[in-house]
Amino acid sequence: MILVRLLRWLFGYVVFQGTGSFPERFMNLCAREEINLWEVRCRAGVLCACVSKSEYAALRPLARKSKMCFRVQKRCGLPFHTRKYRGRAGLLVGTALFFGVLYVLSLYVWDVEIHGTERLTEEQVQSVMEDIGVHPGVLKSEIQAKLMEQQAMAALPELSWIAINQQGSVVEVELKERDVPPDMIPEDQPCNLVSTASGQVVRLEIYAGAPAVKVGDAVLKGQMLVNGVVEDALGNSQLQHASGKVYAVTSRTLQVEVPLQQTVTVSTGNTIYRRRISVFGIDFPINVAFIPEEGYTCQRTKSPLAIGNIKLPATVYTETWSQQIEQSVTLTEAEAAQQAKEQLQQMEQNDLAGVTILNRQETARVENNIYYLEVLYECEENIAEESPLLLP
């Protein structure tokens, strides 16, 4: 029923009213001529009905035969709505061009979204995508996902897998980076476990091999902890791949030096902006500005254009060039201490990763205009490391 109403609206129809003595004869004549009427109502000798626009003219001779008088009440449908724009050809042409351009643009890729990067940057993946032909402005029909996925895997050995999916005019690149396995001795090769640091053993977790130390023993760096040569009940020796964990209390020392006299870079406030807009990969400058001379730093940003949640195939790139000068400053002891703590925190994240800190002692001093921060750590960590078992 909805489809019938839609077709009637597209082709147009007329709602008319007829008065006369013989409405029944008029209905019979319409049926004989196969003229379709709908929503027919007849009250007090007044006939109301609807007829398609193309058949309305055929009602006039039938009305004369049945001595009926007709009057149009309403004209409905698309043909009657567009009739008032017949003198405005530009509007119709503009509408046709709009939908034509929109259709053509829908054939191209508008945006490339990259998801799943961790160690790799989006710029690295985007560069590879552009090299294999996945970029804004390329025809969607030229995207051969399977082939391009193989090319991307060959160009980025860090990937475990990659998938290129099309969602309308947007290409979504989903990827998973490969987990880099640690350097380990093969399981079928005999080895010992040796100490990576000096300390006192507090816990043993031996999975294979013969323990060479026990809880409470003091060990030195490089000392054997678990022997890969194991004797059975009969006294025969067997070579095994020793494995396990040996936890010990160790001492670590980290030191940070912060000069009180420093040369820092500050901004003068002079800033130059260079903007361009990229449409389907073609760049157009927005403003004219030359790249400044030395003494400036550049920060680049991009802002994709969008209407609501719909991304357009255009991106505005902005380069902000800021003038920098060097100045000599003298830090107070409190400022140097703050810098030292920030550097120490970064060193702890890098050097003490996976280590449990049991206690720490800080020592700070200033000598020769240098602030020294030294921290002694008492840690608990796994000191076992695989070492190849050398056979004669």
Side-chain angles (χ1 to χ4, degrees), residues 1-47:
M1 190 63 182
I2 297 178
L3 180 60
V4 174
R5 291 181 179 178
L6 177 62
L7 291 175
R8 288 173 178 172
W9 185 86
L10 289 175
F11 291 103
Y13 64 93
V14 177
V15 180
F16 65 92
Q17 185 182 64
T19 57
S21 303
F22 305 102
E24 296 85 0
R25 185 180 180 188
F26 172 74
M27 297 290 294
N28 292 333
L29 291 174
C30 289
R32 184 183 301 171
E33 296 296 330
E34 297 183 350
I35 297 177
N36 182 31
L37 302 178
W38 65 90
E39 296 185 8
V40 179
R41 302 180 303 277
C42 187
R43 294 180 181 177
V46 178
L47 175 68

Side-chain angles (χ1 to χ4, degrees), residues 342-361:
E342 293 175 357
Q343 296 181 25
L344 181 67
Q345 185 178 9
Q346 185 64 39
M347 293 176 65
E348 288 180 354
Q349 294 177 356
N350 297 332
D351 299 344
L352 302 181
V355 175
T356 302
I357 299 176
L358 303 178
N359 191 18
R360 55 187 292 167
Q361 293 181 347

Side-chain angles (χ1 to χ4, degrees), residues 5 14 22 46 113 155 177-178 229 238 255 320 332 355:
R5 291 181 179 178
V14 177
F22 305 102
V46 178
E113 297 181 353
E177 296 181 16
R178 190 186 306 275
V229 180
Q238 297 179 350
Q255 181 173 296
T320 304
T332 64
V355 175

Side-chain angles (χ1 to χ4, degrees), residues 23-279:
E24 296 85 0
R25 185 180 180 188
F26 172 74
M27 297 290 294
N28 292 333
L29 291 174
C30 289
R32 184 183 301 171
E33 296 296 330
E34 297 183 350
I35 297 177
N36 182 31
L37 302 178
W38 65 90
E39 296 185 8
V40 179
R41 302 180 303 277
C42 187
R43 294 180 181 177
V46 178
L47 175 68
C48 295
C50 300
V51 66
S52 64
K53 173 181 174 295
S54 59
E55 294 179 333
Y56 179 73
L59 296 181
R60 297 185 180 278
L62 303 182
R64 288 194 294 268
K65 289 182 181 180
S66 58
K67 298 181 180 181
M68 297 285 290
C69 180
F70 281 73
R71 184 174 61 185
V72 176
Q73 285 189 319
K74 187 165 52 174
R75 294 177 174 85
C76 306
L78 182 62
F80 297 109
H81 286 290
T82 57
R83 178 180 296 178
K84 55 185 176 182
Y85 297 110
R86 285 182 300 180
R88 302 178 181 179
L91 182 61
L92 297 178
V93 173
T95 303
L97 286 176
F98 171 77
F99 287 102
V101 171
L102 190 63
Y103 171 74
V104 173
L105 292 179
S106 67
L107 301 177
Y108 293 83
V109 173
W110 286 23
D111 189 29
V112 178
E113 297 181 353
I114 300 172
H115 307 285
T117 55
E118 294 179 1
R119 294 182 297 274
L120 291 173
T121 63
E122 288 192 12
E123 288 73 16
Q124 289 176 297
V125 180
Q126 186 177 6
S127 176
V128 173
M129 291 295 107
E130 291 177 355
D131 292 340
I132 65 178
V134 181
H135 55 82
V138 67
L139 282 169
K140 293 193 293 185
S141 58
E142 295 181 2
I143 301 294
Q144 302 179 18
K146 297 300 180 182
L147 175 60
M148 291 178 171
E149 287 170 5
Q150 295 176 3
Q151 294 174 339
M153 290 291 293
L156 294 171
E158 299 90 349
L159 297 183
S160 175
W161 58 266
I162 187 172
I164 300 176
N165 304 312
Q166 293 189 43
Q167 300 290 339
S169 294
V170 177
V171 173
E172 295 183 350
V173 180
E174 301 283 348
L175 57 90
K176 179 68 170 65
E177 296 181 16
R178 190 186 306 275
D179 294 329
V180 180
D183 295 333
M184 298 181 65
I185 299 175
E187 290 290 338
D188 57 350
Q189 181 176 341
C191 70
N192 299 323
L193 294 184
V194 299
S195 174
T196 58
S198 301
Q200 185 176 16
V201 178
V202 294
R203 191 166 74 254
L204 297 173
E205 296 179 8
I206 308 303
Y207 310 132
V213 295
K214 61 182 182 297
V215 175
D217 287 354
V219 296
L220 299 176
K221 182 178 180 179
Q223 180 177 337
M224 184 170 59
L225 304 176
V226 180
N227 195 346
V229 180
V230 181
E231 292 187 357
D232 58 16
L234 301 177
N236 299 320
S237 298
Q238 297 179 350
L239 300 181
Q240 293 185 357
H241 180 97
S243 63
K245 297 179 180 180
V246 178
Y247 292 90
V249 175
T250 60
S251 296
R252 299 281 194 103
T253 301
L254 296 179
Q255 181 173 296
V256 179
E257 299 178 7
V258 177
L260 298 182
Q261 295 289 338
Q262 295 185 5
T263 301
V264 297
T265 302
V266 296
S267 175
T268 63
N270 296 331
T271 306
I272 299 175
Y273 296 96
R274 301 178 73 243
R275 294 186 177 91
R276 59 186 172 88
I277 184 170
S278 177
V279 181

Side-chain angles (χ1 to χ4, degrees), residues 352-385:
L352 302 181
V355 175
T356 302
I357 299 176
L358 303 178
N359 191 18
R360 55 187 292 167
Q361 293 181 347
E362 295 186 1
T363 303
R365 68 183 189 280
V366 177
E367 292 182 6
N368 300 325
N369 271 346
I370 298 178
Y371 181 88
Y372 294 92
L373 177 61
E374 185 177 15
V375 183
L376 177 63
Y377 298 90
E378 183 182 354
C379 308
E380 181 180 319
E381 58 181 306
N382 176 26
I383 61 173
E385 180 183 51

